[in-house]
Amino acid sequence: MNQISIQNISSKNFLRTINCPFYQILVFNGSAKFEINLIQYECSDSTILFLTPYQQFKWLENNESALYLIQFHGDYYCIEYHKNMISCNGILFNNIYEKPFFNINESYYDEIVNTIEKMENEIKNEIVNPFTDSIVKSYLQLILSISSKEKSKYLTDIKPNELPNKDLIYFQDLIEKYYKAERSMTFYAAEFSLSTDAFSKKVKKQFSKSPSQLINERVILEAKKLLHLTYKSIKEIAQELNFEDEFYFSRYFKKSVGVSPSSYRKNVGISIAAK
């Protein structure tokens, strides 16, 4: 059971940046300010937050808050392998265009907290209960299912004819199409016949991130995916992502993630889905 842990923890544990190879779910109540990959966020009320491996997280307030923390390794529960059961990848995790947290209503918040406490009790009783692993995974699936259902309510279907701002959807489409070949903000600004300053302000107002940050995050997201979901060599991944060589790719990756591609693969592992 060392690949999953449940903790009742103080926010003071996150006053220094946390960057670990586990998926993390944080559940808490009240106002909060925190930083994820150097982007600052604020929230209030009942909140549930989802972090992928090596997403950098830091609490920005000195006032102490109580949090429930679930940490699990991809080898313990692979969100890609279980995607047909629970579509949380791209909803809760790995969506660079949406905030990685949301407010959850009181009844679901209470249900999730109650489920976490049940998980904690099962883990404590592991020695006398041979079914602990299956039970805890079922509880984890329940939390992910509830969260995916509730988070989906916040996401707008991408239907260009119904959206009030088609340009922002077009920008996302451009990133998806060109992020491997074009990483310059100038290229994307030119597509809208805007200066880089005007374009940057428009994008940042919507996503709380600059165009360069979004492009970089999309490249890193794909790099993480290839490291975790394939057996491709780092050299092959660098070539696929259009880097000059594997050394430049490694420097680029480490600057954003905090660890090298080889360390990321070693600690996060290669998913069962890769087989």
Side-chain angles (χ1 to χ4, degrees), residues 104-117:
I104 194 161
N105 69 46
E106 187 176 346
S107 62
Y108 280 126
Y109 176 83
D110 290 342
E111 184 174 354
I112 287 172
V113 167
N114 183 254
T115 303
I116 292 172
E117 291 172 348

Side-chain angles (χ1 to χ4, degrees), residues 96-97 175-176 179 214-222:
I96 65 172
Y97 305 107
I175 289 180
E176 294 304 312
Y179 72 91
L214 285 167
I215 296 161
N216 173 70
E217 286 190 20
R218 184 62 186 90
V219 174
I220 293 299
L221 181 62
E222 191 67 16

Side-chain angles (χ1 to χ4, degrees), residues 51-270:
L51 299 171
T52 54
Y54 288 109
Q55 248 186 321
Q56 299 172 34
F57 178 77
K58 182 180 181 181
W59 199 265
L60 297 178
E61 292 184 322
N62 287 322
N63 59 305
E64 187 171 9
S65 299
L67 305 97
Y68 290 93
L69 172 65
I70 302 173
Q71 293 180 315
F72 65 94
H73 194 274
D75 288 344
Y76 179 80
Y77 190 89
C78 177
I79 61 173
E80 181 69 19
Y81 183 75
H82 291 96
K83 64 182 179 181
N84 292 329
M85 298 171 61
I86 302 170
S87 299
C88 61
N89 195 7
I91 298 177
L92 306 179
F93 303 101
N94 296 321
N95 188 331
I96 65 172
Y97 305 107
E98 296 290 333
K99 295 176 181 177
F101 63 91
F102 65 98
N103 291 128
I104 194 161
N105 69 46
E106 187 176 346
S107 62
Y108 280 126
Y109 176 83
D110 290 342
E111 184 174 354
I112 287 172
V113 167
N114 183 254
T115 303
I116 292 172
E117 291 172 348
K118 289 179 179 179
M119 292 171 74
E120 193 172 20
N121 289 332
E122 283 296 332
I123 291 173
K124 288 178 181 177
N125 295 328
E126 180 179 6
I127 295 175
V128 295
N129 187 349
F131 302 105
T132 292
D133 197 55
S134 296
I135 293 170
V136 172
K137 283 182 180 177
S138 295
Y139 284 144
L140 178 59
Q141 287 184 175
L142 176 61
I143 291 171
L144 293 173
S145 295
I146 291 172
S147 300
S148 293
K149 180 174 76 74
E150 290 300 293
K151 179 68 179 289
S152 294
K153 296 176 182 178
Y154 290 81
L155 304 179
T156 304
D157 291 335
I158 299 177
K159 298 176 181 178
N161 294 331
E162 298 176 9
L163 286 167
N165 195 334
K166 299 178 184 179
D167 286 351
L168 294 170
I169 298 303
Y170 179 52
F171 173 54
Q172 292 181 44
D173 290 342
L174 284 175
I175 289 180
E176 294 304 312
K177 185 175 181 180
Y178 292 111
Y179 72 91
K180 292 182 181 179
E182 298 288 349
R183 300 193 184 111
S184 167
M185 185 168 63
T186 304
F187 168 82
Y188 295 92
E191 290 291 319
F192 293 90
S193 300
L194 292 172
S195 68
T196 54
D197 284 346
F199 180 62
S200 183
K201 287 177 183 177
K202 184 173 184 177
V203 171
K204 195 162 188 177
K205 183 178 179 180
Q206 176 68 21
F207 297 109
S208 300
K209 301 174 184 177
S210 70
S212 296
Q213 286 171 318
L214 285 167
I215 296 161
N216 173 70
E217 286 190 20
R218 184 62 186 90
V219 174
I220 293 299
L221 181 62
E222 191 67 16
K224 286 181 173 180
K225 177 181 175 182
L226 292 169
L227 288 166
H228 183 53
L229 296 177
T230 77
Y231 287 93
K232 292 180 180 179
S233 69
I234 293 173
K235 183 177 180 179
E236 289 173 319
I237 292 171
Q239 290 174 340
E240 184 168 336
L241 295 177
N242 202 34
F243 284 88
E244 294 176 6
D245 54 53
E246 62 185 294
F247 305 106
Y248 177 41
F249 166 64
S250 294
R251 290 194 299 271
Y252 182 98
F253 187 91
K254 187 172 183 178
K255 182 179 179 180
S256 294
V257 181
V259 296
S260 67
S262 57
S263 293
Y264 181 89
R265 173 171 274 175
K266 177 182 177 182
N267 294 320
V268 176
I270 296 181

